[in-house]
Amino acid sequence: MILAWLIIILMAGGFLAWFFGRINHLWARWISLIALIIDFVLVLSVWIQHPGAVELTRDAPWIIEMNLSWIPRFGISFHLAMDGLSLLLVMLTVFLGLMSVLVSWTEINERVGFFHFNMLWILAGIIGVFTALDLFLFYFFWEVMLVPMYFLIGIWGHENKIYAAYKFFIFTQASGLLMLLAILGLYFIHGNNTGVYTFDYLQLLGTDIPPVAATWLMFGFIIAFAVKLPVLPVHNWLPDAHTEAPTAGSVILAGLLLKTGAYGLLRFVLPLFPDAAISFAPAAMLLGVAGILYGAKLAYAQTDLKRLVAYTSVSHMGFVMLGVFAMNQLAFQGVIMQIICHGVSTGALFILVGALQERIHTRDMNRMGGLWGTVPRMGGVAMLFALASLGLPGLGNFIAEFLVLVGTYQASILFTVLAALGLIASTIYSLRIIQRVFHGGQEEEWTITDFNAREMLVMGLMIAVIVWLGLYPQPVLNTSRPAFKNLQYEISDYRTRYTGSSGEFHDTDRAVGDIQEMSRLLFRHTNIFTKDYSAGLKLPAMNESVQTGIIRLSDRIKYVPQCSKGGQL
Amino acid sequence: MTGTDILTLMPYLILAGATVLGMILIAIERNHTIMVGFSLLAFAVAFFSLFRAAAFIPRQISALFIMDGYTLFFLGLLFAASFLVVLLSYGYFKSMTGNREEYYLLIFLATFGASVLVASNHFASIFLGLEILSVSLYTLIAYLRTSQRSIEASIKYLILAAASSAFLLFGMALIYAESGVLEFSQLATYLAGGQTGLLILTGFSLIIVGVGFKLAVVPFHMWTPDVYQGAPAPVTAFVATVSKGGMFALLIRFFMETDAYQYQSLLLIFTIVAIASMFFGNLLALLQNNVKRILAYSSIAHLGYLLVAFIAGGELGVEAVSFYLVAYFITTIGAFGIISILSTSEEETEALDDYRGLFWHRPWISAVFTAMMLSLAGIPLTAGFVGKFYVASAGVDASLWLLVILLVLNSAIGLFYYLRIVVAMYSQPAEGAEVPAGRPSVSFGGGVALAALTLLLVWFGVYPGGFMEVIQSMVSGLAHGYQSIPIHTGLF
């Protein structure tokens, strides 16, 4: 029930904030803050009770789970569950939510109640997305977070807010509907195969989908997630939405909404369509790399500070795309680190830009310059997060990008090299922020106040997180590892494990796991040995003993058909 | 005709009786409030008599009517819609000078006509029901006699409806000429014999023209925007829901009973009509600046979505149509209800600019209107979302990928104009613009109606499970036929 409570508290808090906000603005702020603090305590207690050391097995992969029947006509259930991956993302959601309430304390002075209602509902929707295990429910939450976000941009945004809000909404909604079609396609294929019509994720895993259909369905999902992430050709809603949104909106957009795309890729695309995902992987990685370089280049070309930060998101999310489709443990670990660190560091940069804009009423970098002398605290904080953004060792983002690159190296050396170039580009644009805004001569004589205690509290917390993740990321890695291990059994990353240089087994445990995994795969293609299997599975360099082992296993496994049920062995 | 038949037909008798009783009531004492109270009571009694009638279904009464779960379901829907329309009409007509009471009689008659369509099992009853409905609508649309636009809309509707009735009649005649039967079940037997001449198909096509006109699907949609705009807002709500809903229910029964799904050419016609309706409706709605016209074009698009589920057919398709119609009824009555509440019979609040900044002085009404718009757009937590989901699953199940993808594309286009209305409501009122004086406050009845609609909207959007079971049980009867029903030819 704790999962439902996380969502209910925020939704109820939203209504209360709206209602009491009409009486007194301060009440709305405090109600939101308290609702989020309660959520934070709940999530933290879950984390403390289940540190990473607890191994989640494949039979019981969830830390907490709840499952209620919802719409039996369609086999839809209210199924929420949390593993390490979800736990970390929910943590991040609540943390950034708290920061957003704090930074809006003085920025938002109109219709405060409704503002907080929208904010809490977005956060509730995001938590729903991160924990839903029923595809219908997932889509439901996916859409729930859009409308309040649309209002957040459209009502409290800056000059060009209506345009940005439309663009955001139509991009995400249209792509979301394609995902709905893909979900329905999957639902009916599974139903026709087994006679069981259900939207439950665990049952849909391992559905035997004809390859062509699998590719189409996968693209339905990928388009929705790619728009959110965003991936290169569908990224162009992002700069507008981020720039025009109020500070809290930008923080939530960059820190959380984009991450729902990454989460979707990890949780749904790879496990549901492993074969299609593997054949799409090179193209996906290419898009990731292109995003890294293109985003960085555009970031460098901006004069609007907020737009600059927005484009850095495109660049950083390229690493996520790259890591997801590298499909190995190291890359996945890098992805979750990138998700968290980018959320914190970019969130902090947006807060900084927001604070500057609140004071000097412009985001134009040409009108800034030499601000360090006036606002040294801001300068120092900006320096730290710019360094984080460029991937300086000692700060979280370095760990993230390093892990992604190491992981990608096993999949493709070329893409690794290209992606590494992105690090140089990020250095250039990050330092440019510092140079143009805080160094040099002052263009105009700004007399502004530095960060106050509230803002320093926000920044202090975010600095603490980013430094902690940079120096001691192990808790995060421990927490997410079991989840990724399960994930990896769902997908078939044999490419890196069975071929070429990394084809050796490291220990017996892993070898057993791998052979099991392999045979599961083979079971999925029971007709594999009647066809040209090297064409179907691309296993040219398989080592001979493994090959015979697999053949023997696959012979045995034909007699235990329940093995593939629910994707479990 | 036996006593049981009369009990089964009780909903109709109550409605017909109420019309007569209402006339007497007006003769005794002409009072708007009493008349509204009487109408509400009549619709409520008719609604609850459905539960009594449910004990005797399925039952065929003469050759003309069939009373089954499907009929009762749609009757309930029509009665509830009319009930709400009456509630919303009260405030709208309160300040009108002249005779207001006959309006409610016409509502009775029109509802009666639509109800006859729902139960029809025979070409004769179709035509009777259709004409009762249409003739009442001509008068209802022109009820504000002093308004030139109302008159214009009514005449437009009259001419086109008469022409389309002629098409319908001619289609029936052709089918009769070829097959010699007028009853659905006999027609089904005839068609099952495999004799499908050109005349039969032509007849079906002409019937589609007549039906298409009432449903306002492209290319029979020309009257929609003008009539929507010209008619008094509560009447628009009525035309958009009761009239179209009754017709759609008939269309489904007709196709299911006669198994017309076997004719690919007819399905092709519907496919083209559905695609055209979705695109025309949505694209033309983008160009409008009048909320009533936007809703008119959006209703064309929604009928296109409904046709997708209709084409998909089968039990899932019919369920999807039923659910979507319910959601569409709720949102349409809600949206026009808000327009009615903000308008008086003298002046309608229909320009998009009238809604600018509405949220900041009428927050509750705007919140309800927002919910209705989001439901039309198919956003979660609303009935419209579940409806769209239902329709999409019916389409995917029947592998109508082209239609489903176009539906998705059109939903995205549709979002744009629904959001335009929402944005207008939440944007700042123009500098110096005064809150327009003279906008009526929400009447008690109107408030209750809107609250009920919003509640239903959210209920069906969040927890539709129970309602789906009702629809499912109702549809399974229709789909599996009633070969064993005793036919009572009694009086006829």
Side-chain angles (χ1 to χ4, degrees), chain A residues 11 18-19 22 69-74 76 110-111 114 121 136 139-141 143-144 147 150-151 155-156 161-162 165-166 169-170 173-174 177-178 180-182 184-185 187-188 192 197 199 217, chain B residues 315-316 319 359-360 363-364 367 370 374 377-381 385-386 388-390 392-394 396-397 401 404-405 408 411-412 415-416 419-420 422-423 426 428 461-465 468-469 472:
Chain A
M11 287 187 163
W18 191 0
F19 185 73
R22 292 167 70 102
S69 176
W70 184 18
I71 307 177
R73 167 70 184 84
F74 283 100
I76 296 168
E110 281 178 7
R111 315 185 231 294
F114 191 47
W121 272 63
F136 181 86
Y139 179 76
F140 182 84
F141 281 125
E143 297 283 296
V144 161
V147 181
Y150 168 79
F151 282 135
I155 299 180
W156 293 273
K161 56 190 178 185
I162 302 286
Y166 269 135
F169 201 80
I170 288 174
Q173 174 73 17
L177 281 167
L178 290 177
L180 178 65
L181 288 189
L184 284 172
Y187 170 77
F188 282 110
N192 289 337
Y197 286 91
F199 282 95
L217 295 181
Chain B
E315 271 183 64
L316 188 58
E319 279 175 47
F359 182 72
W360 311 116
W364 288 107
T370 306
L374 294 179
I379 305 294
L381 292 173
F385 165 70
V386 181
K388 200 161 274 179
F389 168 78
Y390 229 135
S393 33
V396 171
D397 191 30
W401 288 103
V404 176
I405 286 171
V408 164
S411 299
L415 265 182
F416 192 80
L419 288 180
R420 245 179 94 203
V422 174
V423 163
Y426 288 84
Q428 289 293 359
V462 174
Y463 198 72
M468 282 180 182
E469 277 169 29
Q472 214 177 348

Side-chain angles (χ1 to χ4, degrees), chain B residues 72 101 255 314 335 338 404:
Chain B
L72 294 188
E101 290 75 18
F255 262 61
I338 285 163
V404 176

